[in-house]
């Protein structure tokens, strides 16, 4: 292992394995970015080793070796440390002044205080925007008896955004998340203002029984994924979309669980709920599944994440539209 100047490290430290996904790491880095700026950098107390400590704690739940973090404290009181400290301070100030003149110095933004830890049993849920391009996912630890209203308060949002879980709208702020089937480790989607459906021309029951939010898809401009989702919906309605979304969510949020990475073609339930519906298999293939040894397989990786997450988000958005139209 060599750096750009051809040097090799004197010592390597194994920090262990992580269960975090690349998306979770990206979200973490964005969340802490305001605290790690050129303005807040300090050679002695807030340097690259301190940043590594924060990242390793997030990824592995442990600290980097103490001798690395304590090295500045050990050197500074020594005669050598007392000689170089003023020199390093001058260099640090000169670098910050140079960055400031060039417009590259960003003042640190104080992070808001963390919410108080919930009492009693807890569960961890991930909250993310349903539409692509929205705010990054947030992992929250909430009480096992938390309500929809508690979640809204924790996120500091008003009544306009809606929460959706597995295609089901969490309508009642007084009901617990658990009553809607939310469990530890699962994902809740956030959608914006309620979509307005066209007023019915007649209150007759026949009008109410028509498919909600039927869409006119521009076949020429639609992507293969959009066409596959439309075919699946036409064949199996919201039920098949919910099944497909659950399959992809399991892979995305449990990338180390191999049981979610293969779907046996001979499985009767899978055939009934998915394969018998036109377009369902095409959705899975667009998300990255491919056939091998009598099953559809997917292997989570950095390159596989893009089509998988795109398909999951597209299904979420369509389920949200159906739920909003039916409400």
């Amino acid at each position: 292992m060599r750096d750009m100047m051809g040097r090799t490290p004197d010592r390597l430290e194994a920090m262990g394995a992580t269960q975090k996904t690349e998306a979770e790491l990206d979200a973490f880095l964005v969340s802490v970015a305001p605290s790690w700026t050129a303005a807040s950098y300090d050679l002695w107390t807030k340097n690259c080793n301190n940043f590594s400590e924060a990242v390793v704690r997030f990824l592995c739940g442990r600290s980097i070796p103490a001798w690395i973090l304590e090295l500045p404290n050990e050197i500074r009181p020594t005669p050598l440390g007392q000689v170089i400290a003023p020199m390093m301070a001058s260099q640090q100030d000169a670098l910050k002044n140079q960055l400031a003149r060039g417009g590259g110095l960003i003042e640190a933004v104080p992070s808001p205080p963390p919410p108080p830890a919930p009492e009693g049993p807890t569960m961890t849920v991930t909250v993310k925007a349903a539409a692509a391009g929205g705010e990054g996912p947030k992992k929250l630890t909430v009480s096992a008896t938390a309500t929809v209203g508690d979640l809204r308060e924790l996120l500091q949002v008003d009544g306009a955004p809606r929460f959706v879980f597995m295609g089901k709208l969490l309508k009642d702020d007084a009901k617990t998340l658990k009553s809607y089937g939310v469990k530890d480790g699962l994902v809740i989607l956030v959608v914006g203002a309620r979509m307005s459906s066209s007023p019915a021309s007649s209150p007759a029951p026949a009008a109410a029984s028509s498919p909600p939010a039927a869409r006119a898809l521009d076949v020429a401009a639609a992507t293969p994924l959009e066409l596959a989702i439309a075919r699946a919906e036409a064949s199996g309605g919201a039920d098949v979309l919910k099944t497909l979304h659950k399959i992809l969510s399991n892979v995305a949020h449990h990338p180390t669980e191999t049981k979610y990475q293969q779907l046996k073609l001979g499985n009767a339930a899978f055939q009934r709920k998915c394969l018998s519906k036109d377009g369902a298999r095409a959705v899975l293939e667009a998300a990255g599944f491919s056939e091998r040894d009598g099953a559809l397989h997917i292997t989570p990786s950095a390159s596989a994440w893009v089509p998988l997450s795109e398909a999951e988000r597209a299904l979420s958005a369509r389920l949200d539209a159906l739920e909003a139209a039916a409400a």
Side-chain angles (χ1 to χ4, degrees), residues 164-325:
V164 176
F165 175 70
M166 295 304 294
K168 182 189 301 181
L169 184 64
L170 310 189
K171 300 178 182 179
D172 191 344
D173 276 15
K175 292 184 66 173
T176 65
L177 298 174
K178 191 174 182 180
S179 69
Y180 283 107
V182 178
K183 299 179 182 179
D184 185 64
L186 298 184
V187 176
I188 298 173
L189 301 175
V190 181
V191 295
R194 183 181 299 276
M195 293 176 61
S196 59
S197 54
S198 301
S201 58
S202 170
S209 63
S210 60
R215 54 177 172 173
L217 194 66
D218 185 349
V219 176
T223 66
L225 173 62
E226 291 171 334
L227 291 173
I229 291 176
R231 286 165 48 204
E233 181 186 337
S235 178
D239 287 342
V240 69
L241 299 189
K242 290 178 183 179
T243 301
L244 290 166
H245 182 264
K246 183 176 182 180
I247 290 171
L248 301 187
S249 293
N250 283 337
V251 177
H253 302 292
H254 305 280
T256 61
E257 295 284 346
T258 56
K259 65 182 180 181
Y260 297 128
Q261 298 169 18
Q262 75 168 20
L263 307 166
K264 295 182 179 180
L265 297 175
N267 183 282
F270 180 48
Q271 288 183 353
R272 183 179 70 257
K273 294 180 179 180
C274 254
L275 295 184
S276 62
K277 315 301 180 185
D278 179 46
R281 175 165 177 162
V283 173
L284 294 173
E285 290 175 342
F289 278 89
S290 59
E291 183 176 351
R292 185 176 72 250
D293 301 329
L296 294 178
H297 293 263
I298 189 170
T299 302
S301 66
S303 59
W305 173 256
V306 174
L308 176 65
S309 59
E310 285 180 352
E312 183 195 12
R313 287 197 300 267
L315 287 166
S316 295
R318 186 56 190 154
L319 286 168
D320 294 341
L322 291 171
E323 182 66 31

